[in-house]
Amino acid sequence: MFHRKLTALDYHNPSAFDCTDTPTCHLCSDDTQYRNCVVWLEDQKIRHYKIEDRGNLRNIPSSDWPEAYQKYLQDLNCPFGAQEKQESVDWLMGLAVRYEYGDNVDKYKNCEPLAAFSNSNTAVVDPLFNLDGDSPDFKAGVTALANILKIQRHDDYLVMLKAIRILIQDKLSSEAITKASHKQEGIPVALDKHVLGFDTGDATLNEAAQILRLLHIEELRELQTRINEAIVAVQAIIADPKTDHRLGKVGR
């Protein structure tokens, strides 16, 4: 699951790396391989710490390594903790890839894109269709987006992805931004011509209450307009009856 990123980073043995909870080979019987990979990412690609400050992280056999790793993640502002092994190391790999590209922009910007499907008749496939909801890569990406957009975390990552899509469409799309930036001219209203219906005993509070009531009425009108539009839309779909004049009623 980490093969592509490790290969892009020129890791010495990307195919053998495995940090799943259940060991699949003698190399993964403990955290040594995992810790070595983290240290390699810091030493070779990320280089967040000065060389002299990497001692605790490099001390792989130490029982204090998890604490050093947790501090390292916090210093990088990683959204995952040391206990989330797959998610955190995947995030580190993604950061390393970004730094690698930043250090070699000229090298990578001229790379040829992957060839398109050889069969021009191949139907366009929904890019979300083949998503693996259990993949750590997928979970890490969705969680990172949710943290950036301040979206509440959910146990189902597909639900989180849908929430992200809705937020982006409603708030961050070009149409939403254009609509939000468009200023609507209000209509002047004489508050003294509107009866409040009660008295707070304070003229300023009375005026504020009048404004709130008018705003509330405006919201109710907008809601009623949307309800009417919904009713019309539903009627356009279902209102196609056959009239039987002999029965004197509408029906099929």
Side-chain angles (χ1 to χ4, degrees):
M1 62 183 66
F2 305 107
H3 183 269
R4 288 185 301 171
K5 291 180 181 178
L6 290 175
T7 301
L9 294 169
D10 293 327
Y11 189 65
H12 57 278
N13 195 1
S15 300
F17 180 77
D18 185 3
C19 68
T20 55
D21 294 332
T22 303
T24 57
C25 66
H26 69 282
L27 292 174
C28 306
S29 58
D30 55 26
D31 283 342
T32 301
Q33 187 188 39
Y34 179 83
R35 297 181 182 188
N36 276 323
C37 182
V38 171
V39 173
W40 183 86
L41 288 171
E42 167 60 18
D43 283 344
Q44 302 296 325
K45 303 299 179 180
I46 299 176
R47 301 187 290 272
H48 180 72
Y49 287 161
K50 295 180 180 179
I51 295 178
E52 59 270 21
D53 295 333
R54 300 174 191 171
N56 293 333
L57 198 63
R58 287 176 170 176
N59 191 8
I60 292 174
S62 173
S63 59
D64 295 330
W65 191 89
E67 287 75 15
Y69 182 43
Q70 179 63 39
K71 182 179 184 303
Y72 177 62
L73 294 175
Q74 291 174 350
D75 290 342
L76 289 172
N77 294 319
C78 176
F80 305 105
Q83 299 299 323
E84 301 168 287
K85 292 177 55 179
Q86 298 187 38
E87 291 85 353
S88 61
V89 77
D90 181 73
W91 186 88
L92 289 177
M93 291 177 190
L95 181 65
V97 169
R98 177 152 44 104
Y99 287 166
E100 176 71 13
Y101 176 81
D103 292 341
N104 301 278
V105 175
D106 293 335
K107 173 183 176 182
Y108 294 112
K109 70 179 182 180
N110 296 321
C111 289
E112 292 292 334
L114 293 175
F117 291 107
S118 57
N119 185 2
S120 59
N121 296 325
T122 303
V124 177
V125 179
D126 184 350
L128 301 181
F129 182 76
N130 293 321
L131 279 179
D132 181 4
D134 296 324
S135 167
D137 292 348
F138 172 76
K139 292 180 179 180
V142 172
T143 302
L145 280 174
N147 291 337
I148 293 173
L149 298 174
K150 308 299 182 183
I151 293 177
Q152 181 68 33
R153 294 189 64 170
H154 192 278
D155 293 337
D156 190 335
Y157 286 83
L158 289 176
V159 172
M160 288 175 60
L161 183 60
K162 291 179 181 178
I164 291 171
R165 176 182 60 81
I166 292 173
L167 176 62
I168 291 175
Q169 287 179 340
D170 291 348
K171 302 296 183 181
L172 302 178
S173 65
S174 57
E175 295 179 358
I177 294 175
T178 301
K179 182 178 180 181
S181 61
H182 179 67
K183 296 181 179 179
Q184 296 183 350
E185 294 294 335
I187 301 175
V189 176
L191 294 179
D192 56 352
K193 294 183 179 180
H194 296 270
V195 180
L196 179 59
F198 61 88
D199 187 7
T200 64
D202 185 290
T204 303
L205 289 178
N206 286 343
E207 185 173 299
Q210 284 179 307
I211 294 173
L212 289 175
R213 170 167 287 186
L214 291 173
L215 291 173
H216 180 57
I217 292 173
E218 179 63 24
E219 290 179 349
L220 290 178
R221 287 175 177 172
E222 183 178 353
L223 176 60
Q224 184 62 56
T225 299
R226 294 184 178 182
I227 292 174
N228 292 341
E229 291 174 350
I231 292 174
V232 171
V234 172
Q235 287 177 339
I237 297 174
I238 66 174
D240 186 20
K242 300 293 184 180
T243 303
D244 190 338
H245 298 283
R246 295 174 301 173
L247 298 176
K249 62 180 181 180
V250 176
R252 288 189 180 274

